Amino acid sequence: MIKDGVKGYKVTGPNAKYIFIPAKGYYYEQEVYDSDDSGEYWTSSAYDNRNFSMALTFTKRNVKVNSTGRSGGRCIRPVYTR
């Protein structure tokens, strides 16, 4: 999806409302990778030890949630709820 000229992914909730998350890649060892081609966002879920957490990863062809090392930087998308 492209919104206002920015590539990204539309996540729709059970109430039919959605958020747009930009494709901004990920950060590892002082470099940004795959910006504008994919997105990697931290979830609020930890994985089985302190070195990994769950992340939402998306590309043009695939969307998945998987474990990823905490040493790499991933985006966050804060959502305010009332």
Side-chain angles (χ1 to χ4, degrees):
M1 167 181 204
I2 297 177
K3 182 175 179 170
D4 299 328
V6 177
K7 294 177 186 176
Y9 189 72
K10 179 180 176 180
V11 179
T12 304
N15 61 359
K17 292 186 179 184
Y18 74 91
I19 61 172
F20 175 78
I21 50 178
K24 291 300 175 187
Y26 64 97
Y27 182 83
Y28 185 71
E29 293 186 354
Q30 301 180 356
E31 295 287 332
V32 176
Y33 295 91
D34 299 331
S35 183
D36 292 332
D37 291 325
S38 70
E40 296 198 18
Y41 284 77
W42 291 122
T43 71
S44 61
S45 301
Y47 193 59
D48 68 46
N49 64 40
R50 293 182 185 157
N51 297 320
F52 291 86
S53 287
M54 301 304 287
L56 169 71
T57 302
F58 64 90
T59 64
K60 292 178 186 176
R61 295 184 209 124
N62 193 7
V63 177
K64 61 185 175 180
V65 175
N66 60 335
S67 64
T68 187
R70 289 186 179 182
S71 61
R74 305 299 187 264
C75 298
I76 61 167
R77 174 58 166 88
V79 177
Y80 175 76
T81 59
R82 293 179 189 203

